[in-house]
Amino acid sequence: MASMLTRGASRLSRQQHTGWISAFGRSAVRGFAATSDDAKPDGGGCEPTFKGAYCESVDVELGTERTPVRVGFETGRVARLTDGAIVASMGDSRVICAAVCSRDENPDAGFFPLNVDYRERASSFGKIPPTFTRREGAPKDREVLAMRVVDRAIRPLFPKSFSRDTSVQAIVLATDQSQDPAVLAVNGASAALSVSSIPWNGPVGAVRVSVLGDGNEIILNPSDKDVEASKLTLFYAGNEHRTLMIEAQAGTADEGGVPESVVASALRAAHEAAKVLIEPQRRLQRAIGKEKLDPVQQTPEQAKLRHDVFDRSSEKLRALYREEIQCKHTRGKRMTELK
């Protein structure tokens, strides 16, 4: 036991000496404390976490104290066998996001086959999993909700004709336990898809916004404490031109609710803040983005066949549902006969 503690202390000392992330949050990430242009490597907007990676960044403010931090997107050193991989950073938080797709189209897909996975490792909080095997368990409710948020933010921008099985993975490597890492995961997933060969009409920016007091103070990137004290909190994702996803948390009607004008102001502030996070992703895409795949387009014959099948079956399908068959097996049998 003593030797294990000695080796652990030695390793922690080396991490702090080299400037890597400390599990206890005492040391800053290498390069992010520097503000001079001399600290930036050639060809990138910031010094990356992983040496040799290409990085682009933008400066934002956090919470009521308006603490300046740098949001970075780096690629080229981690998960290089994927179609696109990004290590997204904000202060002491790190999220790795990777995107892959299959080689062949899925002709039987009735909808776009997109899978999103989001995990917050116990090590990102400086902890060991409390299970008997010391392994990560099933995704928690918070992680499942984050998967849905990422999915809703990126799904609308895929081409309609693209039907390859696509997977986006986001893993939280480190967190300052103040900002929601799901926000960073949405931005990282957007950057990963932007630099990948997967056809996608992004990027998007995601931000969290809170309204304090009587609605006169709108806080960008609020901390968890700010969210608890707020009357309205928005999780917003969008591109330069439109909104893609909104999640809202507000007080009840008994607490006075939130006026419509305050909600509109918060949405406008969130949209402007999200646009700021899009430009570094575009710079990254222009610098090292891969050539996009060409989605398979329908031939005129296929389009005509699809239209004919719809005309012949739509009325019969509507009639089947108008019968309001309650038995699942009977309804399935009738559906099979219709096919």
Side-chain angles (χ1 to χ4, degrees), residues 72-108:
F73 304 96
E74 62 183 80
T75 186
R77 292 296 293 173
V78 181
R80 289 182 288 181
L81 295 181
T82 62
D83 291 297
I86 291 290
V87 176
S89 58
M90 177 189 289
D92 286 339
S93 298
R94 297 291 183 276
V95 179
I96 179 173
C97 302
V100 294
C101 72
S102 61
R103 296 182 179 180
D104 302 317
E105 300 282 344
N106 185 354
D108 298 327

Side-chain angles (χ1 to χ4, degrees), residues 212-234:
L212 300 181
D214 297 330
N216 299 324
E217 187 177 8
I218 298 177
I219 304 300
L220 302 177
N221 306 306
S223 65
D224 291 339
K225 292 183 179 179
D226 295 334
V227 172
E228 292 177 0
S230 68
K231 297 185 63 176
L232 170 68
T233 298
L234 298 177

Side-chain angles (χ1 to χ4, degrees), residues 101-121:
C101 72
S102 61
R103 296 182 179 180
D104 302 317
E105 300 282 344
N106 185 354
D108 298 327
F111 55 91
F112 177 53
L114 172 65
N115 175 64
V116 176
D117 191 30
Y118 170 90
R119 296 300 177 94
E120 295 178 358
R121 299 301 188 202

Side-chain angles (χ1 to χ4, degrees), residues 39-54:
K40 298 179 182 179
D42 295 336
C46 66
E47 184 176 352
T49 305
F50 295 93
K51 185 177 180 180
Y54 186 94

Side-chain angles (χ1 to χ4, degrees), residues 14 27 50 95 103 190 229 252 304:
R14 290 196 303 271
S27 61
F50 295 93
V95 179
R103 296 182 179 180
S190 168
T252 62
K304 184 178 183 302

Side-chain angles (χ1 to χ4, degrees), residues 1-18 21-24 26:
M1 179 63 71
S3 61
M4 292 176 61
L5 291 175
T6 302
R7 289 196 299 270
S10 176
R11 183 177 181 182
L12 180 60
S13 177
R14 290 196 303 271
Q15 289 176 343
Q16 292 178 343
H17 178 70
T18 55
I21 301 173
S22 168
F24 301 95
R26 294 180 59 187

Side-chain angles (χ1 to χ4, degrees), residues 55-71:
C55 181
E56 289 289 349
S57 67
V58 64
D59 294 329
V60 299
E61 296 179 342
L62 302 183
T64 54
E65 299 180 356
R66 301 187 181 276
T67 306
V69 298
R70 182 170 295 169
V71 178

